[in-house]
């Protein structure tokens, strides 16, 4: 299960209700940030999530509203004397911005916590067994921007009626069968996993796309996602301005979700120039299963 906590949902300029962009993802005992805008550490505290087991930051791009929270977060983690190594993933130019920012504050290689930098290209970011993180390039002005996909594999579960019918007792034998290994029960009969496992089920796919000026070429990464999180900075009536600033409209985001068989759409990176209801209405006409993200919303997939 993927659990998302929206820590910041504003576009460029924060408001009293919306902080700079940041998203906390929790899955299989791991916790990571997607972007880290200014004030993210306070948002972590206000959300109740805190700083425990936080050791990875995935950066969509290097614009300051997405990265300025890193120094403050690192300073706090240093004061707490965390022993974890923080890994920051981002495009090469994005990482260069972060490295220069940290070097300017503390000197080269002297950040308050141990940190390593992992440049992104279009490939798998991490395979944690219970889930896989992938990345793909997106276009946003002059940046090296990336979107992220998170996928958990389908699993086969034991069929209780088959176990009972074949006389497999509760206990370690069932664990062996669930792991794909045959067992021998009383009487010398061998039970094969295929005899008691159901069909694969439960695969989940989450896709997070930050700032982007177009959805061209992204369908293969988004198709059939259970949840798509994507920006909707402008409304359709301001589409020319959206092009000038390298952003999407709510209508474009909704059409993208509809075209790619997405199950649920969450819009974020919202501009204070619009009422929330306007954004929702424009998107819902095209893709009904849509919601507008608010700071501290929590969604599970």
């Amino acid at each position: 299960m993927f659990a998302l906590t929206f820590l910041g949902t504003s576009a460029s300029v924060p408001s009293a209700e919306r902080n700079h962009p940041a998203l906390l993802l929790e899955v299989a005992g791991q916790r990571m940030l997607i972007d880290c805008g200014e004030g993210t550490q306070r948002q972590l505290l206000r959300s109740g999530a805190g700083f425990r087991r936080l050791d990875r930051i995935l950066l969509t791009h290097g614009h300051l509203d997405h990265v300025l929270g890193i120094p403050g977060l690192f300073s706090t983690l240093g004061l707490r004397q965390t022993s974890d190594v923080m890994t920051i993933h981002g495009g090469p130019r994005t990482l260069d911005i972060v490295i220069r920012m940290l070097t300017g504050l503390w000197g080269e290689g002297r950040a308050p916590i141990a940190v390593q930098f992992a440049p992104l290209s279009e490939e798998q970011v991490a395979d944690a067994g219970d889930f896989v993180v992938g990345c793909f390039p997106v276009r946003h002005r002059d940046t090296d921007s990336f979107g992220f996909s998170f996928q958990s594999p389908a699993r086969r579960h034991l069929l209780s009626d088959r176990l009972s019918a074949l006389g497999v007792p509760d206990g370690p034998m069932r664990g062996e069968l669930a792991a794909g290994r045959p067992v021998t029960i009383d009487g010398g009969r061998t039970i094969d996993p295929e005899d008691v496992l159901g069909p694969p089920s439960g695969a989940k796919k989450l896709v997070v796309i930050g700032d982007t000026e177009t959805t061209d070429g992204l369908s293969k990464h988004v198709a059939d996602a259970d949840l798509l999180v994507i920006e909707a900075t402008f409304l359709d009536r301001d589409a020319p301005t959206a092009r000038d600033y390298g952003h999407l409209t709510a209508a474009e985001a909704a059409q993208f979700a509809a075209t790619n068989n997405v199950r649920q759409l969450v819009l974020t990176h919202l501009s204070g120039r619009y009422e929330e209801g306007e954004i929702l209405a424009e998107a819902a006409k095209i893709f009904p299963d849509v919601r507008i993200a608010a700071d501290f919303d929590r969604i599970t997939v």
Side-chain angles (χ1 to χ4, degrees), residues 222-228 256-258 260-265 287:
V222 171
D224 303 317
D226 294 281
L227 177 65
L228 169 64
F256 182 52
N260 289 287
N261 195 36
V262 169
R263 290 173 179 78
Q264 185 179 8
L265 172 66
F287 190 85

Side-chain angles (χ1 to χ4, degrees), residues 128-168:
D130 291 313
F131 66 99
V132 173
V133 184
C135 69
F136 50 92
V138 304
R139 284 164 46 195
H140 175 56
R141 301 176 72 181
D142 59 348
T143 65
D144 53 350
S145 295
F146 285 86
F148 299 98
S149 63
F150 306 86
Q151 298 188 66
S152 61
R155 299 189 183 282
R156 301 181 67 186
H157 300 282
L158 294 172
L159 301 173
S160 58
D161 56 339
R162 291 291 298 153
L163 292 166
S164 298
L166 292 171
V168 181

Side-chain angles (χ1 to χ4, degrees), residues 241-252:
T241 307
R243 296 289 78 75
D244 290 341
Y245 285 93
H247 290 291
L248 294 183
T249 68
E252 288 171 327

Side-chain angles (χ1 to χ4, degrees), residues 62 90-98 100 142-145:
R93 282 183 286 153
T94 296
L95 293 183
D96 181 62
I97 290 168
V98 174
R100 285 189 286 119
D142 59 348
T143 65
D144 53 350
S145 295

